[in-house]
Amino acid sequence: MKKIIYFSFGLLLFGLSLLAQTPQAFKYQAIARDNAGNLIANQNVSFRISILQGSAGGTCVYTETHALKTNDFGLANLNVGGGVPVSGNFSTIGWGSNTYFLKIEMDPLGGSAYQLMGTSQLLSVPYALYARNSSDGVGNGTSGQTLMHNGTAWIGNSNLYNNGTNIGIGTLSPASKLHVFTPSFSAKLGTTSQGVYGEHSVSGSYGWLGASNEGGYGFSPNGYGMRGQTTNGYAFYGEHSASGNSGWIGSSNEGLYGNSIGGFGVKGNTANGYAIYGTATGTGFAGYFSGKAFVSGNMGIGESVPNRRLYVSDLQAGLSYPLKLENKYTIENEAAVGILFSAGGSGTNDRGKGALAYQYTSTWNRGSFHFLQNAETNANNPTLANAVMTITNSGNVGMGTTNPQAKLEVAANAGPHIIINDLNGSNDRPGIKFSNNYIHYIAGDDLTDEYFGFYSGFGDNRTYDAILAVYGKATSNWGKYLGLSHNGTSGRIFTDAGDLLLEPAGGVAINTTSAGAYKLNVSGDVYFSGTIKTSIKTESIIIPPAAFTCDFNDRGYYNGGEVIMTNDLLINVNGFEAPVYLPHNATVVKVTSYWQDNSTNSGTLLFSRTKLTDGSDNTLSANYTYWQSTVRNYLTDTTIETPVIDNNNYMYYLGLLLYNDILFYGAKIEYTYDEIK
């Protein structure tokens, strides 16, 4: 992944100098270097320059931006005062009335992510701008002054001011060919739009004669804009013979009447009062409009200082409804009222593509809100059929449906229906949280077997596996989890820590429909690459007489399968052997032999092993008969030498020594084990 590295830059101030003839700007030069001190040469950078008043953290009186490219030496040249203004006016800064500081910010990538480079006080150079205002001209005069003799010499005087175009008396900013100004009034002759213009500075009243569209006009915030009086006719009457417009004030039927073919029937203007004012008493109306009404500025209803095109205000405790829209059509599901929205310039008059509508669906004016969007490229307004989101009277929200059956229902032809986007792109775990209950579910509509899919990406081409992780208890971390995934070839159940425990109420069945009476029922072959450990089990094997073979076949003996005995008249002893097969790593705990000894000699049963590499033998257990008995008996040995079975290096067997009149009925070997190979 590409990383964006932010460098800090050292700025070297070479000098500040005024441009020729003291224009409203001064030069600033800087060298841009990175953290290692390397020049940033031939690169687009951007600066934001601010002038602060009074201190390094003072009020910003002016801000501008510059976009430029450094040269081969990393040098950036710019004219402070000649950039793109953001706030303030450079030319009106009072350099001589305060101290000022220069704040420099830069984006080394040429954008608008400015980084503070430093703030320093302007000590002298820009104040030449201030000196400019006091040193140009002749004597002690300033631009536009006329000469006046004070009895000793000619000096500049501003009482009569000439800016080369207009002449002002009492003003340095004449707005007409002749402009007379006093603290109480202002009079102008020959303005751009009136022949005569007068203004009373104290009361705010003003008016004119000989304008382009009025013969006369008057305004007063508190008194009379223009005043007239009559006994039987019109206090004021006017008629425009060319257009046919006419009107009057103070007739027998109307206080004010105006008629216009194409202009204004009645026009009013005010700075602080009411251009048109009406008061209603009883059942009357303060104003009545039977046709269209046009308001070019802001309109306030209940608000005297509206800062929006329409500002509706109320003042009361609790919930207020200062605005109401109503459709009085009374048939359910057929009456709706809404607000139509249009932006971008394509909508004309009553046309729009977005709307918010309220539809009457039940008694007592109950209904649903619909957000409407018409996606057609035509002049049709949206209808209720274009609803993209609905909020019912019961509080259910539907997207793609107007009749949601749950608090949120999303309907669409193809997924994904809901996308939860982590804006940080980090491990913040965006998702869905259930609360206020410990039983939660995700369900289908139970019309058939339901599939719930978890995908790494929505679509039939995916690069990564989806992992369903179930997390356990944790402290100060997100904890460990049980994972379920499929890599496209095989499924996998795993944990990132700890054991995987299966605790079914019954058993586990693999490749079969039921575990039956077993904890694990597998239909098919099972392969284990390691050792299977179990709880310690005790098992035994019985070595019957039939398993023994005789060492000396030339001597008389009898082996009927269930008993062995010798019956040689010349040599009354014989030997027999039988192999023993026990599980690897099993532990032999007891060897029992079954006899009937009618002789005076001792019969012997030996449990032994032979080492495969050298053939050496050693006896692990021995049973000896020391008595004469006419009934079957048994001997037990629990002192087993080297009891753990090692099938990798040894083979195990029983050796039997019998004398005449001794009957051997077999042996039993008991062992324990905790693993299965």
Side-chain angles (χ1 to χ4, degrees):
M1 177 183 293
K2 182 178 180 181
K3 296 183 178 179
I4 298 177
I5 302 175
Y6 293 92
F7 297 92
S8 63
F9 295 83
L11 297 180
L12 177 60
L13 184 65
F14 282 121
L16 296 171
S17 60
L18 286 177
L19 300 177
Q21 300 179 357
T22 60
Q24 295 296 322
F26 57 90
K27 285 188 174 296
Y28 179 83
Q29 291 182 319
I31 290 180
R33 299 179 181 272
D34 61 19
N35 283 335
N38 300 316
L39 293 175
I40 299 179
N42 298 311
Q43 179 173 312
N44 291 324
V45 296
S46 57
F47 287 86
R48 182 165 61 191
I49 309 298
S50 300
I51 304 297
L52 309 181
Q53 185 183 74
S55 68
T59 301
C60 178
V61 298
Y62 177 74
T63 299
E64 66 180 16
T65 59
H66 295 261
L68 49 93
K69 185 175 183 180
T70 60
N71 63 14
D72 293 342
F73 306 101
L75 183 64
N77 293 288
L78 51 95
N79 296 328
V80 178
V84 178
V86 176
S87 63
N89 190 328
F90 188 86
S91 63
T92 61
I93 297 175
W95 301 104
S97 61
N98 211 324
T99 58
Y100 291 88
F101 291 75
L102 185 66
K103 177 181 177 181
I104 306 297
E105 297 171 282
M106 185 177 74
D107 183 352
L109 300 180
S112 58
Y114 299 105
Q115 304 175 44
L116 179 63
M117 298 293 102
T119 303
S120 58
Q121 184 178 0
L122 293 172
L123 298 176
S124 60
V125 175
Y127 299 109
L129 296 172
Y130 170 71
R132 169 195 176 193
N133 295 327
S134 60
S135 61
D136 291 345
V138 178
N140 61 351
T142 60
S143 175
Q145 288 185 323
T146 55
L147 292 177
M148 181 195 76
H149 201 277
N150 61 4
T152 304
W154 290 97
I155 61 174
N157 182 268
S158 297
N159 189 44
L160 181 61
Y161 183 83
N162 186 348
N163 63 11
T165 301
N166 298 328
I167 294 176
I169 299 177
T171 176
L172 301 181
S173 302
S176 63
K177 293 299 182 181
L178 178 60
H179 184 176
V180 180
F181 176 83
T182 70
S184 298
F185 67 88
S186 176
K188 304 174 185 177
L189 298 179
T191 70
T192 57
S193 56
Q194 299 99 12
V196 178
Y197 177 89
E199 178 180 345
H200 194 271
S201 304
V202 177
S203 66
S205 300
Y206 62 89
W208 57 75
L209 298 174
S212 58
N213 55 351
E214 293 106 356
Y217 176 85
F219 167 80
S220 175
N222 300 305
Y224 301 99
M226 297 183 73
R227 181 176 179 180
Q229 185 175 352
T230 183
T231 301
N232 297 313
Y234 302 101
F236 284 93
Y237 177 85
E239 180 177 342
H240 193 272
S241 57
S243 65
N245 297 339
S246 62
W248 54 79
I249 300 174
S251 72
S252 59
N253 296 319
E254 295 93 5
L256 172 65
Y257 175 84
N259 175 56
S260 176
I261 305 301
F264 302 97
V266 176
K267 179 179 179 181
N269 185 32
T270 182
N272 300 309
Y274 303 97
I276 298 176
Y277 180 87
T279 300
T281 58
T283 59
F285 297 92
Y288 177 82
F289 302 90
S290 62
K292 296 183 292 184
F294 173 76
V295 179
S296 63
N298 296 339
M299 180 177 181
I301 300 177
E303 174 59 43
S304 60
V305 189
N307 56 10
R308 297 290 186 272
R309 289 302 186 186
L310 176 61
Y311 193 139
V312 182
S313 177
D314 199 357
L315 179 61
Q316 66 178 35
L319 179 62
S320 171
Y321 296 102
L323 179 64
K324 179 181 179 180
L325 303 179
E326 182 176 2
N327 183 348
K328 294 188 176 182
Y329 195 69
T330 58
I331 298 179
E332 292 181 9
N333 297 314
E334 294 186 13
V337 64
I339 301 175
L340 184 65
F341 299 93
S342 177
S346 297
T348 57
N349 297 330
D350 62 340
R351 300 301 178 190
K353 287 300 178 183
L356 173 61
Y358 183 79
Q359 182 184 16
Y360 168 49
T361 61
S362 185
T363 58
W364 289 96
N365 298 324
R366 290 175 295 174
S368 299
F369 277 104
H370 302 291
F371 292 84
L372 312 179
Q373 290 282 5
N374 187 331
E376 301 170 352
T377 56
N378 53 35
N380 295 335
N381 289 331
T383 66
L384 293 177
N386 300 127
V388 295
M389 186 171 75
T390 295
I391 303 176
T392 67
N393 183 258
S394 62
N396 291 348
V397 177
M399 295 183 180
T401 175
T402 57
N403 187 30
Q405 300 302 304
K407 288 304 178 184
L408 176 62
E409 180 178 343
V410 180
N413 293 326
H417 293 359
I418 299 175
I419 296 177
I420 300 176
N421 189 359
D422 183 4
L423 297 179
N424 293 332
S426 59
N427 296 325
D428 292 336
R429 290 176 171 83
I432 300 173
K433 178 181 178 181
F434 299 93
S435 63
N436 206 32
N437 202 328
Y438 70 94
I439 300 177
H440 315 290
Y441 68 91
I442 299 175
D445 51 15
D446 198 31
L447 298 178
T448 182
D449 292 341
E450 304 285 346
Y451 290 82
F452 298 91
F454 293 85
Y455 302 90
S456 61
F458 192 83
D460 54 7
N461 290 302
R462 299 180 298 277
T463 302
Y464 300 99
D465 301 338
I467 299 176
L468 176 61
V470 180
Y471 283 82
K473 294 181 288 186
T475 302
S476 301
N477 61 72
W478 285 98
K480 305 303 180 181
Y481 63 87
L482 168 69
L484 176 65
S485 70
H486 198 287
N487 63 8
T489 302
S490 302
R492 186 166 67 105
I493 302 176
F494 61 95
T495 63
D496 66 334
D499 300 325
L500 178 62
L501 308 179
L502 299 179
E503 299 179 0
V508 177
I510 300 177
N511 204 29
T512 183
T513 58
S514 173
Y518 306 103
K519 286 299 182 182
L520 176 63
N521 189 344
V522 180
S523 177
D525 297 334
V526 179
Y527 171 77
F528 299 97
S529 63
T531 301
I532 302 176
K533 289 286 187 179
T534 69
S535 60
I536 296 178
K537 306 289 186 181
T538 300
E539 297 286 352
S540 63
I541 62 170
I542 294 176
I543 312 299
F548 286 82
T549 59
C550 181
D551 291 337
F552 306 102
N553 289 322
D554 58 342
R555 299 177 185 179
Y557 72 94
Y558 172 77
N559 187 344
E562 80 285 359
V563 63
I564 299 176
M565 63 180 180
T566 63
N567 54 11
D568 194 277
L569 297 178
L570 298 177
I571 302 175
N572 67 344
V573 63
N574 206 340
F576 302 86
E577 291 182 344
V580 176
Y581 304 103
L582 293 172
H584 183 68
N585 281 340
T587 301
V588 178
V589 296
K590 184 189 294 186
V591 177
T592 304
S593 57
Y594 296 86
W595 311 82
Q596 183 177 331
D597 188 353
N598 297 320
S599 74
T600 58
N601 296 307
S602 175
T604 304
L605 179 69
L606 301 178
F607 176 43
S608 303
R609 68 179 184 178
T610 299
K611 193 170 185 179
L612 295 174
T613 56
D614 57 14
S616 59
D617 293 328
N618 65 298
T619 300
L620 308 180
S621 173
N623 282 176
Y624 301 97
T625 62
Y626 293 107
W627 64 84
Q628 288 184 336
S629 175
T630 59
V631 297
R632 181 180 297 192
N633 214 326
Y634 67 89
L635 298 171
T636 298
D637 181 20
T638 58
T639 58
I640 313 300
E641 181 182 347
T642 318
V644 179
I645 300 300
D646 180 6
N647 288 331
N648 294 325
N649 298 293
Y650 296 90
M651 56 184 178
Y652 295 82
Y653 63 95
L654 289 177
L656 176 64
L657 181 65
L658 286 180
Y659 290 88
N660 289 349
D661 298 326
I662 299 177
L663 304 178
F664 177 72
Y665 296 103
K668 179 180 179 181
I669 301 176
E670 296 180 46
Y671 61 91
T672 62
Y673 66 93
D674 63 355
E675 64 180 34
I676 301 174
K677 280 290 186 179

